Amino acid sequence: MKKVFCIILSFLFLLPCLAGAETIVTSFYPVWLMTLNLTEGMEDVSVVNLAGQATGCLHDYTLQNSDMVTLSGADALLINGAGMESFLPVVTGAYPDLPVVDATAGLPFLRESETVEIGESEEGEEVNSHLWLDPQRAAGMAANLAEGLIRLMPAREQQILDNLKEYRERLSALDETIREETAGFDRKVIIFHEAFPYFAEACGLTAAAIVNKEPEDILPTAQLVRVTQLIIRTGEPMPLILKSSEEDPSVNTLVNETGIPVCELDPVTSGPDQPPLDYYESVMIRNVHTLMSALDH
């Protein structure tokens, strides 16, 4: 009897811990990285990345049955927003009471009215939703996520705010480093990935054109000619192509025809399963060094 009483007593002591346990689901890698920073030190908070660490951007992502099971046990869903998660209506329809935190709500989007756009933007996106490629906007996203986490876990407010403060200080230092490293850059770029206009702006570069297409898609001849003419008209120094590391036959054609230099960058949409907290910063600095090397050639 005494043994049973001890077991019951131990369970009662554990109840507050069990009651305080939270499962936070994030939509994809950049939001997952931010949330890991904001929940650092909270052993009873589980952060699950819905799309996995190798998915990349969510433009063509389709929810799996396993995703719906994951969401059924979630206390909140943290998203990028701005049309990135095209599957969101399915989630909110299935789980109308699941709190959803929008990381980009109220943040300034890049306006590209003066930039030549070739091809169609991603369906469902009225704005460029890849804000995390600018450290200043990434800091704003972190603040939005922190606000949502505090609403969900008010007892942990101070810890979340402390983590946010440390994280934003690191992002501010990153932004300062990028601007110092790229000070004086006066170069036009042609962007073959919708994420990189924000990175280009952070580095002081001017987007001469943005080509909206998947890397494996072949650019129609008329559009390829248009890009070629744009490159030739720009003159010296020749524009630089910014692209992801994915193979792109259209870029290869442009390089063969014009000799335009190419810079392959990491959009931070995938990465290791157990990243260090400063993984985003390290990738961004590596991108800057890659850019500087490309501009030297």
Side-chain angles (χ1 to χ4, degrees):
M1 184 67 183
K2 184 177 179 180
K3 184 176 181 181
V4 173
F5 176 76
C6 289
I7 292 173
I8 294 173
L9 190 62
S10 298
F11 179 75
L12 290 174
F13 276 118
L14 280 172
L15 277 178
C17 297
L18 293 173
E22 304 285 351
T23 298
I24 310 299
V25 176
T26 60
S27 59
F28 77 138
Y29 204 75
V31 179
W32 183 61
L33 289 175
M34 293 179 184
T35 308
L36 289 177
N37 276 274
L38 295 171
T39 57
E40 168 65 8
M42 302 179 191
E43 295 182 359
D44 53 350
V45 175
S46 173
V47 182
V48 180
N49 187 26
L50 189 70
Q53 278 66 283
T55 299
C57 269
L58 296 177
H59 301 302
D60 299 317
Y61 188 75
T62 302
L63 287 174
Q64 310 297 311
N65 290 335
S66 58
D67 294 332
M68 300 305 287
V69 172
T70 297
L71 289 165
S72 70
D75 293 292
L77 173 62
L78 276 53
I79 66 171
N80 179 85
M84 177 65 73
E85 292 84 359
S86 59
F87 55 76
L88 188 60
V90 176
V91 175
T92 55
Y95 305 110
D97 296 327
L98 179 65
V100 177
V101 180
D102 187 335
T104 59
L107 297 182
F109 294 97
L110 193 60
R111 301 300 175 187
E112 298 161 356
S113 57
E114 297 180 0
T115 303
V116 175
E117 288 207 45
I118 297 170
E120 296 294 327
S121 298
E122 291 291 345
E123 186 177 352
E125 285 193 24
E126 296 180 0
V127 294
N128 189 325
S129 59
H130 304 71
L131 280 72
W132 69 89
L133 265 295
D134 170 16
Q136 289 187 3
R137 290 179 172 92
M141 292 175 67
N144 280 338
L145 294 174
E147 183 179 335
L149 289 171
I150 290 170
R151 287 197 301 270
L152 179 69
M153 304 179 290
R156 297 184 175 91
E157 178 176 3
Q158 192 55 55
Q159 191 173 4
I160 294 170
L161 289 175
D162 289 344
N163 285 342
L164 174 63
K165 180 175 183 293
E166 180 182 343
Y167 190 33
R168 294 191 72 170
E169 285 174 352
R170 284 170 28 216
L171 293 176
S172 178
L174 170 66
D175 180 66
E176 185 176 343
T177 298
I178 290 176
R179 294 182 188 280
E180 287 178 355
E181 293 275 0
T182 59
F185 279 9
D186 183 16
R187 192 76 170 260
K188 291 187 176 181
V189 292
I190 296 176
I191 299 171
F192 273 74
H193 192 296
E194 282 188 314
F196 296 133
Y198 287 103
F199 178 79
E201 183 188 62
C203 294
L205 301 170
T206 302
I210 299 171
V211 181
N212 299 312
K213 74 176 192 65
E214 294 300 318
E216 66 274 12
D217 294 341
I218 304 298
L219 204 61
T221 301
Q223 294 182 1
L224 195 62
V225 169
R226 187 181 178 195
V227 178
T228 302
Q229 291 174 340
L230 181 63
I231 293 169
I232 295 171
R233 281 202 310 270
T234 302
E236 297 294 339
M238 184 175 284
L240 178 74
I241 284 181
L242 301 186
K243 65 180 288 290
S244 68
S245 60
E246 297 171 275
E247 184 67 19
D248 193 320
S250 298
V251 171
N252 295 339
T253 300
L254 288 171
V255 171
N256 291 334
E257 291 186 0
T258 67
I260 186 171
V262 176
C263 178
E264 294 185 358
L265 302 173
D266 185 341
V268 208
T269 53
S270 60
D273 291 339
Q274 296 180 314
L277 291 179
D278 64 349
Y279 182 74
Y280 169 78
E281 296 101 293
S282 64
V283 173
M284 290 291 284
I285 290 297
R286 186 165 69 244
N287 279 339
V288 169
H289 293 164
T290 300
L291 173 65
M292 295 174 70
S293 177
L295 288 171
D296 285 340
H297 290 82

